[in-house]
Amino acid sequence: MIDVILRRFEEPDEVRELELGRFEVVRIGGLTIGRATYQPGWKWSEHVPSEEPLCTVEHVGLVLRGSATAAFPDGRVVELRPGDLFHIPPEPHDSWVVGDEPYVSLHFLGADRYATDGHRGVT
């Protein structure tokens, strides 16, 4: 008999509360998947406590709702919009919500280290 496992973010394994946001973690099938929800005004460098000034976690994800940026020290700023699949390399970057709608994204890579002690991230 094959076991099928169903999970929902309404019952996460872990919730990482952030100022103006939260990051919910579900572990399933050997993967750690995260759901980021950030309110308007949220900015990684201001609202995620860390010893590092910028996030260095690699991210692969999907934007579900709202818009946010990935901003790099060299001046590159990329806007992430609903439906975008994204890969953000493990280069230092900041991020913030764009507009007045909450931003929601799924994270398929990096969720295990994002917004944990010693690391912080966005997207």
Side-chain angles (χ1 to χ4, degrees), residues 11 68 73 82 116:
E11 296 180 9
T116 61

Side-chain angles (χ1 to χ4, degrees), residues 44-78:
W44 185 89
S45 59
E46 296 176 10
H47 298 110
V48 183
S50 175
E51 296 176 10
E52 300 296 324
L54 297 173
C55 178
T56 57
V57 174
E58 183 175 17
H59 307 278
V60 171
L62 169 66
V63 180
L64 299 177
R65 189 173 88 165
S67 296
T69 63
F72 299 88
D74 66 3
R76 289 176 294 152
V77 177
V78 178

